Amino acid sequence: MLDLQLTLEERWSRHCHHLQGMKEVLGPWTDIPAPDIGTDERVMAWVFDEFSKHKGFSPAVVTGKPLHLHGSHGRDTATGRGVLYAAREFLKASLYTNVRDTSFVIQGFGKVGGWAARFLHEAGGRIIAVADSKGATY
């Protein structure tokens, strides 16, 4: 069953995911898609492969690819790490405080929120609540 599901997911990603119509506007000098809700490095690898079939080898066409397909080390954590950096700079410039003296509530606990919570905690912040589409805890 898992193989069938994966096959259907790959077929959908390659052919029905608007890629056929979008290949003219995707590219390293135009629009570079990134993984989002419901996608991962496998899906981005399929988009990269499909683009390469039509436009030639171009690793820069998408982000979020696996490392062995010219992906970037740390890409999976980058946006969550960016939340830490943005919070740190906002707290310093606007509230004259720091992450260690601040409590945080994380709305969304997926790819970004989970990493953001981890990095904020590692920097000394207090995570007092988390929530996602299925519920919340504090």
Side-chain angles (χ1 to χ4, degrees), residues 86-114:
R88 183 184 65 203
E89 295 307 309
F90 171 78
L91 291 168
K92 183 170 56 175
S94 300
L95 302 178
Y96 308 106
T97 189
N98 58 57
V99 171
R100 282 186 310 282
D101 297 329
T102 306
S103 297
F104 296 89
V105 174
I106 306 295
Q107 173 61 44
F109 206 63
K111 295 175 186 173
V112 176

mmCIF file of all heavy atoms in Angstrom, residues 86-114:
data_model
loop_
_atom_site.group_PDB
_atom_site.id
_atom_site.type_symbol
_atom_site.label_atom_id
_atom_site.label_comp_id
_atom_site.label_asym_id
_atom_site.label_seq_id
_atom_site.Cartn_x
_atom_site.Cartn_y
_atom_site.Cartn_z
ATOM 1 N N ALA A 86 15.236 36.836 13.789
ATOM 2 C CA ALA A 86 14.311 37.974 13.709
ATOM 3 C C ALA A 86 13.804 38.361 15.092
ATOM 4 O O ALA A 86 13.732 39.551 15.427
ATOM 5 C CB ALA A 86 13.146 37.630 12.783
ATOM 6 N N ALA A 87 13.448 37.366 15.912
ATOM 7 C CA ALA A 87 12.976 37.653 17.269
ATOM 8 C C ALA A 87 14.071 38.330 18.083
ATOM 9 O O ALA A 87 13.816 39.318 18.784
ATOM 10 C CB ALA A 87 12.522 36.363 17.956
ATOM 11 N N ARG A 88 15.275 37.812 17.975
ATOM 12 C CA ARG A 88 16.401 38.387 18.726
ATOM 13 C C ARG A 88 16.625 39.859 18.348
ATOM 14 O O ARG A 88 16.758 40.716 19.222
ATOM 15 C CB ARG A 88 17.665 37.576 18.450
ATOM 16 C CG ARG A 88 18.867 38.059 19.237
ATOM 17 C CD ARG A 88 20.114 37.298 18.882
ATOM 18 N NE ARG A 88 20.447 37.578 17.476
ATOM 19 C CZ ARG A 88 21.181 36.767 16.718
ATOM 20 N NH1 ARG A 88 21.635 35.636 17.199
ATOM 21 N NH2 ARG A 88 21.454 37.091 15.479
ATOM 22 N N GLU A 89 16.615 40.154 17.063
ATOM 23 C CA GLU A 89 16.848 41.532 16.623
ATOM 24 C C GLU A 89 15.677 42.444 16.976
ATOM 25 O O GLU A 89 15.878 43.592 17.359
ATOM 26 C CB GLU A 89 17.140 41.566 15.124
ATOM 27 C CG GLU A 89 18.432 40.868 14.744
ATOM 28 C CD GLU A 89 19.633 41.370 15.530
ATOM 29 O OE1 GLU A 89 19.840 42.606 15.583
ATOM 30 O OE2 GLU A 89 20.374 40.537 16.090
ATOM 31 N N PHE A 90 14.446 41.941 16.858
ATOM 32 C CA PHE A 90 13.275 42.735 17.247
ATOM 33 C C PHE A 90 13.311 43.056 18.735
ATOM 34 O O PHE A 90 13.095 44.202 19.142
ATOM 35 C CB PHE A 90 11.978 41.999 16.914
ATOM 36 C CG PHE A 90 10.768 42.669 17.492
ATOM 37 C CD1 PHE A 90 10.224 43.793 16.887
ATOM 38 C CD2 PHE A 90 10.181 42.188 18.655
ATOM 39 C CE1 PHE A 90 9.119 44.435 17.423
ATOM 40 C CE2 PHE A 90 9.078 42.819 19.205
ATOM 41 C CZ PHE A 90 8.538 43.944 18.587
ATOM 42 N N LEU A 91 13.585 42.049 19.554
ATOM 43 C CA LEU A 91 13.624 42.261 21.002
ATOM 44 C C LEU A 91 14.705 43.264 21.385
ATOM 45 O O LEU A 91 14.485 44.128 22.234
ATOM 46 C CB LEU A 91 13.855 40.927 21.724
ATOM 47 C CG LEU A 91 12.694 39.941 21.661
ATOM 48 C CD1 LEU A 91 13.141 38.567 22.145
ATOM 49 C CD2 LEU A 91 11.504 40.451 22.443
ATOM 50 N N LYS A 92 15.842 43.177 20.749
ATOM 51 C CA LYS A 92 16.957 44.077 21.042
ATOM 52 C C LYS A 92 16.629 45.513 20.608
ATOM 53 O O LYS A 92 16.827 46.451 21.375
ATOM 54 C CB LYS A 92 18.218 43.580 20.330
ATOM 55 C CG LYS A 92 19.456 44.405 20.619
ATOM 56 C CD LYS A 92 20.733 43.753 20.110
ATOM 57 C CE LYS A 92 20.675 43.441 18.638
ATOM 58 N NZ LYS A 92 21.944 42.920 18.102
ATOM 59 N N ALA A 93 16.092 45.688 19.412
ATOM 60 C CA ALA A 93 15.875 47.028 18.861
ATOM 61 C C ALA A 93 14.607 47.713 19.371
ATOM 62 O O ALA A 93 14.594 48.924 19.572
ATOM 63 C CB ALA A 93 15.830 46.964 17.334
ATOM 64 N N SER A 94 13.561 46.944 19.591
ATOM 65 C CA SER A 94 12.267 47.555 19.918
ATOM 66 C C SER A 94 11.897 47.488 21.385
ATOM 67 O O SER A 94 11.262 48.398 21.912
ATOM 68 C CB SER A 94 11.162 46.886 19.107
ATOM 69 O OG SER A 94 11.397 47.051 17.728
ATOM 70 N N LEU A 95 12.262 46.412 22.045
ATOM 71 C CA LEU A 95 11.847 46.226 23.441
ATOM 72 C C LEU A 95 13.028 46.286 24.409
ATOM 73 O O LEU A 95 12.835 46.136 25.611
ATOM 74 C CB LEU A 95 11.106 44.894 23.593
ATOM 75 C CG LEU A 95 9.855 44.735 22.714
ATOM 76 C CD1 LEU A 95 9.251 43.357 22.914
ATOM 77 C CD2 LEU A 95 8.839 45.816 23.017
ATOM 78 N N TYR A 96 14.233 46.452 23.880
ATOM 79 C CA TYR A 96 15.447 46.574 24.689
ATOM 80 C C TYR A 96 15.612 45.398 25.662
ATOM 81 O O TYR A 96 15.944 45.579 26.828
ATOM 82 C CB TYR A 96 15.478 47.907 25.438
ATOM 83 C CG TYR A 96 15.255 49.071 24.516
ATOM 84 C CD1 TYR A 96 14.041 49.750 24.519
ATOM 85 C CD2 TYR A 96 16.232 49.459 23.605
ATOM 86 C CE1 TYR A 96 13.814 50.803 23.642
ATOM 87 C CE2 TYR A 96 16.015 50.511 22.724
ATOM 88 C CZ TYR A 96 14.805 51.172 22.746
ATOM 89 O OH TYR A 96 14.593 52.209 21.881
ATOM 90 N N THR A 97 15.338 44.226 25.148
ATOM 91 C CA THR A 97 15.505 43.015 25.953
ATOM 92 C C THR A 97 16.144 41.942 25.082
ATOM 93 O O THR A 97 16.636 42.226 23.993
ATOM 94 C CB THR A 97 14.154 42.565 26.558
ATOM 95 O OG1 THR A 97 14.396 41.512 27.491
ATOM 96 C CG2 THR A 97 13.170 42.114 25.497
ATOM 97 N N ASN A 98 16.135 40.700 25.549
ATOM 98 C CA ASN A 98 16.754 39.614 24.797
ATOM 99 C C ASN A 98 15.920 38.352 24.881
ATOM 100 O O ASN A 98 14.926 38.300 25.612
ATOM 101 C CB ASN A 98 18.188 39.369 25.287
ATOM 102 C CG ASN A 98 18.219 39.032 26.758
ATOM 103 O OD1 ASN A 98 17.568 38.081 27.194
ATOM 104 N ND2 ASN A 98 18.956 39.798 27.539
ATOM 105 N N VAL A 99 16.323 37.342 24.153
ATOM 106 C CA VAL A 99 15.582 36.077 24.099
ATOM 107 C C VAL A 99 15.519 35.433 25.478
ATOM 108 O O VAL A 99 14.478 34.899 25.882
ATOM 109 C CB VAL A 99 16.218 35.127 23.055
ATOM 110 C CG1 VAL A 99 15.602 33.738 23.131
ATOM 111 C CG2 VAL A 99 16.075 35.702 21.648
ATOM 112 N N ARG A 100 16.616 35.492 26.241
ATOM 113 C CA ARG A 100 16.655 34.836 27.561
ATOM 114 C C ARG A 100 15.619 35.388 28.530
ATOM 115 O O ARG A 100 15.175 34.688 29.425
ATOM 116 C CB ARG A 100 18.049 34.967 28.177
ATOM 117 C CG ARG A 100 19.065 34.015 27.613
ATOM 118 C CD ARG A 100 20.385 34.103 28.358
ATOM 119 N NE ARG A 100 20.886 35.460 28.511
ATOM 120 C CZ ARG A 100 21.501 36.161 27.546
ATOM 121 N NH1 ARG A 100 21.670 35.616 26.362
ATOM 122 N NH2 ARG A 100 21.941 37.377 27.760
ATOM 123 N N ASP A 101 15.225 36.638 28.378
ATOM 124 C CA ASP A 101 14.258 37.255 29.293
ATOM 125 C C ASP A 101 12.843 37.283 28.734
ATOM 126 O O ASP A 101 12.016 38.067 29.200
ATOM 127 C CB ASP A 101 14.701 38.693 29.605
ATOM 128 C CG ASP A 101 16.042 38.726 30.328
ATOM 129 O OD1 ASP A 101 16.328 37.776 31.083
ATOM 130 O OD2 ASP A 101 16.798 39.693 30.111
ATOM 131 N N THR A 102 12.555 36.436 27.758
ATOM 132 C CA THR A 102 11.274 36.505 27.063
ATOM 133 C C THR A 102 10.590 35.150 27.037
ATOM 134 O O THR A 102 11.238 34.114 26.899
ATOM 135 C CB THR A 102 11.498 37.008 25.617
ATOM 136 O OG1 THR A 102 12.219 38.247 25.670
ATOM 137 C CG2 THR A 102 10.188 37.213 24.895
ATOM 138 N N SER A 103 9.282 35.170 27.163
ATOM 139 C CA SER A 103 8.458 33.968 27.001
ATOM 140 C C SER A 103 7.838 33.992 25.608
ATOM 141 O O SER A 103 7.466 35.053 25.103
ATOM 142 C CB SER A 103 7.340 33.940 28.040
ATOM 143 O OG SER A 103 7.876 33.868 29.338
ATOM 144 N N PHE A 104 7.703 32.829 25.011
ATOM 145 C CA PHE A 104 7.208 32.719 23.642
ATOM 146 C C PHE A 104 6.045 31.747 23.557
ATOM 147 O O PHE A 104 6.007 30.744 24.263
ATOM 148 C CB PHE A 104 8.315 32.215 22.711
ATOM 149 C CG PHE A 104 9.469 33.157 22.589
ATOM 150 C CD1 PHE A 104 10.540 33.072 23.464
ATOM 151 C CD2 PHE A 104 9.483 34.131 21.609
ATOM 152 C CE1 PHE A 104 11.611 33.935 23.367
ATOM 153 C CE2 PHE A 104 10.547 35.010 21.497
ATOM 154 C CZ PHE A 104 11.611 34.912 22.377
ATOM 155 N N VAL A 105 5.121 32.055 22.671
ATOM 156 C CA VAL A 105 4.042 31.161 22.271
ATOM 157 C C VAL A 105 4.268 30.852 20.798
ATOM 158 O O VAL A 105 4.437 31.765 19.990
ATOM 159 C CB VAL A 105 2.654 31.811 22.478
ATOM 160 C CG1 VAL A 105 1.558 30.930 21.917
ATOM 161 C CG2 VAL A 105 2.431 32.102 23.954
ATOM 162 N N ILE A 106 4.270 29.591 20.443
ATOM 163 C CA ILE A 106 4.518 29.178 19.064
ATOM 164 C C ILE A 106 3.195 28.756 18.438
ATOM 165 O O ILE A 106 2.569 27.798 18.883
ATOM 166 C CB ILE A 106 5.529 28.008 19.006
ATOM 167 C CG1 ILE A 106 6.821 28.351 19.741
ATOM 168 C CG2 ILE A 106 5.784 27.597 17.563
ATOM 169 C CD1 ILE A 106 7.625 29.461 19.140
ATOM 170 N N GLN A 107 2.763 29.494 17.416
ATOM 171 C CA GLN A 107 1.547 29.158 16.673
ATOM 172 C C GLN A 107 1.969 28.452 15.402
ATOM 173 O O GLN A 107 2.573 29.048 14.519
ATOM 174 C CB GLN A 107 0.759 30.428 16.340
ATOM 175 C CG GLN A 107 -0.427 30.199 15.428
ATOM 176 C CD GLN A 107 -1.468 29.271 16.017
ATOM 177 O OE1 GLN A 107 -1.824 29.379 17.193
ATOM 178 N NE2 GLN A 107 -1.955 28.349 15.214
ATOM 179 N N GLY A 108 1.651 27.176 15.311
ATOM 180 C CA GLY A 108 2.106 26.355 14.196
ATOM 181 C C GLY A 108 3.314 25.569 14.662
ATOM 182 O O GLY A 108 4.319 26.153 15.066
ATOM 183 N N PHE A 109 3.224 24.264 14.655
ATOM 184 C CA PHE A 109 4.308 23.451 15.203
ATOM 185 C C PHE A 109 4.783 22.437 14.177
ATOM 186 O O PHE A 109 5.100 21.307 14.480
ATOM 187 C CB PHE A 109 3.842 22.777 16.496
ATOM 188 C CG PHE A 109 4.962 22.459 17.441
ATOM 189 C CD1 PHE A 109 5.721 23.479 17.986
ATOM 190 C CD2 PHE A 109 5.261 21.159 17.773
ATOM 191 C CE1 PHE A 109 6.769 23.200 18.850
ATOM 192 C CE2 PHE A 109 6.301 20.859 18.639
ATOM 193 C CZ PHE A 109 7.051 21.884 19.176
ATOM 194 N N GLY A 110 4.845 22.882 12.926
ATOM 195 C CA GLY A 110 5.315 22.021 11.846
ATOM 196 C C GLY A 110 6.788 22.243 11.578
ATOM 197 O O GLY A 110 7.593 22.391 12.497
ATOM 198 N N LYS A 111 7.121 22.303 10.296
ATOM 199 C CA LYS A 111 8.519 22.421 9.873
ATOM 200 C C LYS A 111 9.178 23.688 10.406
ATOM 201 O O LYS A 111 10.340 23.673 10.777
ATOM 202 C CB LYS A 111 8.606 22.397 8.355
ATOM 203 C CG LYS A 111 8.168 21.092 7.752
ATOM 204 C CD LYS A 111 8.151 21.165 6.237
ATOM 205 C CE LYS A 111 7.565 19.914 5.652
ATOM 206 N NZ LYS A 111 7.379 20.004 4.212
ATOM 207 N N VAL A 112 8.467 24.793 10.429
ATOM 208 C CA VAL A 112 9.052 26.051 10.898
ATOM 209 C C VAL A 112 8.892 26.195 12.410
ATOM 210 O O VAL A 112 9.860 26.428 13.129
ATOM 211 C CB VAL A 112 8.423 27.265 10.181
ATOM 212 C CG1 VAL A 112 8.970 28.564 10.747
ATOM 213 C CG2 VAL A 112 8.670 27.180 8.686
ATOM 214 N N GLY A 113 7.684 26.058 12.903
ATOM 215 C CA GLY A 113 7.418 26.278 14.321
ATOM 216 C C GLY A 113 8.168 25.335 15.234
ATOM 217 O O GLY A 113 8.650 25.741 16.300
ATOM 218 N N GLY A 114 8.297 24.085 14.835
ATOM 219 C CA GLY A 114 9.033 23.126 15.651
ATOM 220 C C GLY A 114 10.494 23.515 15.807
ATOM 221 O O GLY A 114 11.045 23.492 16.912
#
